[in-house]
């Protein structure tokens, strides 16, 4: 994910900052957004995706980019305690792998991107989520991705 400032408006002590956000995936998919950070919240002004996002994925997009946007602004997300991590606590080891599999399979059944579902559930990047999915496959919780000949 890439985040860079577009412009900033200061008025009466308040600051509204616009940012360009680009999500680029290994399979060539890309999402470009123009997001506004103001009054402790994030609003999406413009979203362009190739291929198009489903309504469910579009709904999750704001939550997914909120943490990196607040980091780019140098402020803590609303409701975050100082010194706490932006991502939710996620169990490690076998329990974490089982939860990853549950998220992955639920997304498959709903017809949405399972990797994006794992990303949203864990708060991790696409690369880290793919690694976690791979670990779940290696542990035998998911079938191999490609059949070997």
């Amino acid at each position: 994910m890439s985040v860079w400032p577009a412009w900033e408006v200061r008025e009466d002590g308040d600051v509204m900052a616009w940012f360009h956000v680009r999500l680029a995936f290994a399979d060539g998919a890309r999402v470009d957004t123009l997001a506004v950070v103001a009054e402790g919240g994030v609003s999406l002004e413009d979203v362009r995706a190739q291929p198009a996002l489903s309504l469910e994925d579009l709904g999750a997009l704001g939550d997914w980019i909120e943490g990196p946007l607040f980091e780019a602004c140098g402020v803590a997300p609303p409701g975050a305690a100082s010194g706490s991590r932006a991502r939710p606590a996620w169990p490690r080891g076998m329990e974490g792998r089982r939860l990853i599999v549950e998220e992955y399979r639920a997304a498959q059944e709903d017809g949405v991107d399972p990797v994006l579902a794992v990303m949203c559930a864990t708060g991790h990047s696409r690369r880290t989520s793919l690694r976690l999915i791979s670990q779940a496959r290696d542990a035998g919780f998911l079938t191999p991705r490609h059949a070997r000949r």
Side-chain angles (χ1 to χ4, degrees):
M1 177 178 334
S2 302
V3 178
W4 64 96
W7 63 88
E8 185 176 275
V9 174
R10 295 177 186 267
E11 184 177 307
D12 299 327
D14 292 331
V15 177
M16 291 181 67
W18 280 260
F19 290 87
H20 293 286
V21 180
R22 173 169 286 161
L23 308 168
F25 302 98
D27 62 0
R30 189 172 90 192
V31 180
D32 291 306
T33 66
L34 181 62
V36 180
V37 178
E39 299 177 12
V42 172
S43 299
L44 299 178
E45 295 286 321
D46 185 39
V47 177
R48 295 177 188 201
Q50 196 60 302
L53 294 173
S54 69
L55 287 176
E56 190 171 322
D57 290 342
L58 184 60
L61 181 63
D63 292 334
W64 190 63
I65 66 173
E66 184 179 53
L69 275 173
F70 280 116
E71 285 178 24
C73 296
V75 298
S82 60
S84 69
R85 296 181 348 187
R87 76 175 74 117
W90 193 263
R92 296 179 180 262
M94 288 301 206
E95 181 61 26
R97 289 184 186 117
R98 284 188 183 110
L99 292 173
I100 298 243
V101 170
E102 288 176 16
E103 292 291 334
Y104 189 92
R105 288 186 177 148
Q108 282 182 322
E109 289 173 8
D110 292 342
V112 297
D113 182 1
V115 177
L116 185 59
V118 170
M119 290 167 56
C120 292
T122 63
H124 288 295
S125 69
R126 184 171 182 85
R127 178 176 289 171
T128 301
S129 295
L130 286 168
R131 190 182 79 241
L132 293 171
I133 292 166
S134 176
Q135 290 171 352
R137 284 186 200 290
D138 292 344
F141 293 120
L142 290 170
T143 58
R145 186 164 183 224
H146 300 289
R148 295 184 186 193
R149 295 179 178 190

